[in-house]
Amino acid sequence: MLEAEAVVLVEPEAEPGPARPTRSRRAGLIRFAWQMLLLAVFLVTWQMLVDHKVLTELSVSKPTAIWDEMVKLYRGGQIWNNVGVTLQETVVGYVFGVVAGVAAGFTLAFTPRLLAVLNPFITILNSLPRFALGPLFILWFGIGLTSKVALVFSLVVFIVFTNTSAGARSVDADVVTVSRLLGASRWDIIRKVMLPSTFPWVVAGMRLSIAYAVAGAVVGEMFASQEGIGNWIVAGSGVFNTAEIFAGLLVIAVIAGTIDLLGRLVERRVLRWRPEVAMG
Amino acid sequence: MTTTTGIEDPLSATEPAKIAIDDVSITFKSKSGPDVLAVKSVSFQVRPGEFVALVGPSGGGKTTLLNMISGLYKPDRGRIDIDGEKVTGIHPGLSYMPSRDALLPWRTVQRNVEYGLELRGVGKAERARIAAEMIAQVGLEKAAGRYPAQLSSGMRQRTAVARTFACHPEILLMDEPFSALDAQTRVRLQSLFLDLWERNRSTVLLVTHDVGEALALADRIVVLTSSPAVVKEEVVVDLGRPRDLRAMHRVPRYHELFAQVLDLLDDTEPIQPASRGGGNARS
């Protein structure tokens, strides 16, 4: 579906042919049909394998049972509450992480000596599996919202920081020289060259960290919590309710997928000029 | 022979030099190994509205010389004057074209051409008007709304040319601006560039290793040796103007000058120290 936007290298005289968009839209539809077919085959196979006792329902559940569980949770109203809690943890931790990561990335890119001093510590912290900090955060911040926000933050901040500082340091030297000679002040260089040129790196970091943010919130809830999707999965596991676990996973997948889709739409809008984006 | 040196061809008192380079040297400190003398005792002058090409082997200190004229580097010795005043910082009437187009990829063609005007505080409506005019002059009207990633390399360099002339620069410094283009596109862009320059008559200093390009475009060629750059000779390109770049190779004088510059460059080639190999074939 992205080919419709593909860049065509044409001399100014040439007009883009009208046939292109229609052809690629049809290709997109055909691809979508195949994807739906694959999903249907997967679900039907799963259902049949369990119905014919090839796989046990206790370990893998089955699509119809998961659906019934979803309907039950929906009717009971718990679903919105749990989703709301997890989303809140995700969003708050994510926003703080992005803001701190961008700020730190820019600051350190402009102060290379500070970066040189801090670098080994950053590397150590970054290579530490952040999920392992979960129990510590529970200890520090309790079993409520804050500990999950902290976990999400610790995941997001490093990804965004790394990307931002890499982006800020990879600004095209020729563009800076031309700008300076055209009369750009230091502030002009920051505002009109550094910021826009780092922006795609920040956006890439933001997109990459979405999945980690959701994971951080859910894993945090699994350590200790009273509500949220992670809590719901752990509860299902405690009573061997496999359908409930799968229902939880399904909801997480839908949330992560939706946020990622939104992120991609935003990215496509703000980074129209990027060849990679334009090419899909 | 039309060969002259700066000393034999003094500028007339009535026409002061636009750019005067007087005994300029610069050395770069190197962390590993000895310091590098990049430019050594270079002197030459450029008259207002003159088109001078600096020709010499690639990586031989020509770009460093441009950077000192633009005020980005300070020479260790000697001085550079623009309009009779010593260069201490970036001169406001200056424009620069590197070999890569150096466009801002997040700006459309139109906004890229406006960029220099914007930095110089020209109002929004005025710079949009000037940019549109320049874009028309380089033949990119239909591409004005496109981003650089959506353009061919020739179109990108045309945008860079439009951006450069939009500011009406008094002085134009160019560092192999057409070297990244294929032969056909290069000639087309050189012609376009000359057309625009004929109307604008900025003082141009073009760095190139391409002798043909230097002869096609410049009024005078300063031949430099490599590492360190030292002025070898100055050659006046008496080919008249306006020039038809496609017909250049049919002009006998062009070939004479070509051979002359090539010979000068040949002499600059050996850079071994004299101490090594006493019985060197070269005398």
Side-chain angles (χ1 to χ4, degrees):
Chain A
M1 58 184 172
L2 302 180
E3 274 89 319
E5 306 275 336
V7 167
V8 200
L9 296 180
V10 279
E11 284 298 315
E13 303 79 41
E15 295 292 341
R20 276 187 62 84
T22 357
R23 207 189 322 152
S24 61
R25 194 169 303 146
R26 187 183 305 159
L29 274 175
I30 291 170
R31 191 170 53 206
F32 183 70
W34 275 105
Q35 286 163 342
M36 289 301 106
L37 184 67
L38 190 66
L39 183 66
V41 168
F42 173 73
L43 290 176
V44 168
T45 312
W46 183 1
Q47 184 77 31
M48 279 168 58
L49 287 175
V50 175
D51 282 347
H52 292 87
K53 309 268 191 268
V54 182
L55 297 169
T56 57
E57 190 177 343
L58 184 64
S59 30
V60 299
S61 191
K62 58 181 182 180
T64 48
I66 295 167
W67 178 253
D68 291 342
E69 186 68 30
M70 289 290 285
V71 170
K72 198 180 86 195
L73 286 164
Y74 178 74
R75 294 231 171 93
Q78 304 105 303
I79 191 166
W80 295 120
N81 183 38
N82 284 316
V83 167
V85 167
T86 304
L87 266 183
Q88 197 186 352
E89 293 157 356
T90 306
V91 170
V92 175
Y94 180 77
V95 169
F96 277 115
V98 167
V99 171
V102 168
F106 267 113
T107 311
L108 291 189
F110 286 119
T111 49
R113 258 174 282 170
L114 183 60
L115 179 66
V117 172
L118 294 181
N119 212 23
F121 302 105
I122 294 170
T123 311
I124 290 167
L125 276 179
N126 197 22
S127 53
L128 192 74
R130 243 63 48 66
F131 289 111
L133 295 176
L136 195 61
F137 288 148
I138 303 281
L139 209 65
W140 288 350
F141 303 115
I143 61 166
L145 180 84
T146 322
S147 54
K148 285 78 184 178
V149 168
L151 190 56
V152 172
F153 174 87
S154 73
L155 286 157
V156 172
V157 72
F158 277 100
I159 299 169
V160 175
F161 162 78
T162 313
N163 259 41
T164 306
S165 69
R169 278 178 286 135
S170 69
V171 172
D172 187 333
D174 270 349
V175 171
V176 174
T177 306
V178 168
S179 303
R180 284 184 64 191
L181 294 179
L182 284 171
S185 62
R186 248 188 105 75
W187 172 236
D188 281 334
I189 299 276
I190 292 175
R191 202 163 47 107
K192 294 180 198 268
V193 181
M194 306 285 277
L195 288 181
S197 124
T198 311
F199 192 55
W201 294 73
V202 174
V203 171
M206 286 172 68
R207 261 202 67 195
L208 185 64
S209 53
I210 288 173
Y212 285 90
V214 176
V218 172
V219 171
E221 287 163 356
M222 293 170 89
F223 282 124
S225 64
Q226 288 170 312
E227 46 196 353
I229 304 168
N231 177 270
W232 156 12
I233 289 174
V234 172
S237 146
V239 295
F240 296 101
N241 186 349
T242 324
E244 194 179 337
I245 299 177
F246 273 100
L249 291 176
L250 184 63
V251 171
I252 295 170
V254 169
I255 291 174
T258 309
I259 300 178
D260 192 67
L261 187 70
L262 286 175
R264 202 181 309 198
L265 289 176
V266 172
E267 187 179 28
R268 284 179 60 77
R269 255 201 94 78
V270 297
L271 298 182
R272 259 174 317 175
W273 53 272
R274 293 269 292 184
E276 306 87 291
V277 174
M279 303 287 187
Chain B
M1 272 290 150
T2 46
T3 306
T4 60
T5 66
I7 303 150
E8 287 164 5
D9 182 31
L11 296 162
S12 61
T14 51
E15 197 184 31
K18 186 76 186 171
I19 307 170
I21 292 142
D22 184 23
D23 196 28
V24 161
S25 301
I26 190 166
T27 305
F28 288 111
K29 306 247 179 296
S30 163
K31 275 177 194 159
S32 56
D35 294 352
V36 181
L37 178 63
V39 175
K40 187 185 171 192
S41 306
V42 166
S43 300
F44 66 90
Q45 305 196 331
V46 185
R47 296 182 199 89
E50 193 183 17
F51 197 136
V52 172
L54 295 176
V55 177
S58 290
K62 302 188 300 293
T63 301
T64 308
L65 203 50
L66 276 197
N67 284 333
M68 287 190 285
I69 296 166
S70 63
L72 291 174
Y73 298 166
K74 253 178 73 175
D76 293 334
R77 232 188 56 208
R79 64 181 275 163
I80 298 172
D81 292 88
I82 292 179
D83 290 328
E85 276 179 50
K86 187 175 177 182
V87 173
T88 51
I90 290 163
H91 192 274
L94 205 123
S95 221
Y96 173 65
M97 264 187 84
S99 53
R100 290 173 54 240
D101 51 68
L103 297 174
L104 306 180
W106 50 88
R107 286 180 176 233
T108 58
V109 168
Q110 169 81 24
R111 299 253 299 129
N112 261 294
V113 176
E114 286 180 24
Y115 185 51
L117 299 162
E118 188 183 314
L119 291 172
R120 284 163 194 203
V122 177
K124 205 170 180 174
E126 177 69 0
R127 65 177 188 246
R129 189 188 61 76
I130 297 173
E133 210 172 275
M134 286 311 309
I135 289 167
Q137 285 186 27
V138 298
L140 286 179
E141 299 97 319
K142 285 185 180 163
R146 291 208 216 150
Y147 292 97
Q150 298 167 297
L151 304 175
S152 67
S153 60
M155 290 161 84
R156 280 203 294 272
Q157 204 59 338
R158 270 196 250 180
T159 309
V161 168
R163 172 178 69 187
T164 304
F165 278 114
C167 301
H168 287 289
E170 285 172 44
I171 297 174
L172 188 45
L173 304 177
M174 304 168 81
D175 193 355
E176 313 215 347
F178 309 119
S179 60
L181 304 172
D182 62 85
Q184 205 188 346
T185 314
R186 182 160 57 226
V187 174
R188 211 185 294 164
L189 259 142
Q190 288 166 340
S191 301
L192 171 74
F193 178 82
L194 268 191
D195 276 354
L196 290 170
W197 177 75
E198 299 273 358
R199 281 179 245 175
N200 191 289
R201 283 284 174 169
S202 315
T203 306
V204 182
L205 200 50
L206 166 78
V207 159
T208 180
H209 63 263
D210 178 346
V211 178
E213 174 168 280
L215 288 168
L217 302 177
D219 297 318
R220 194 153 51 97
I221 294 176
V222 175
V223 180
L224 295 168
T225 62
S226 176
S227 319
V230 175
V231 175
K232 171 91 179 169
E233 190 106 47
E234 295 187 23
V235 178
V236 172
V237 184
D238 47 358
L239 290 170
R241 288 191 192 278
R243 295 176 188 170
D244 179 358
L245 298 192
R246 278 189 191 75
M248 277 308 244
H249 61 278
R250 285 196 283 268
V251 180
R253 182 70 187 133
Y254 173 82
H255 293 283
E256 283 173 39
L257 288 167
F258 203 108
Q260 187 189 343
V261 175
L262 225 49
D263 283 346
L264 287 167
L265 282 172
D266 255 0
D267 280 353
T268 70
E269 226 31 75
I271 43 172
Q272 301 115 308
S275 58
R276 226 200 306 171
N280 204 309
R282 233 172 234 282
S283 50

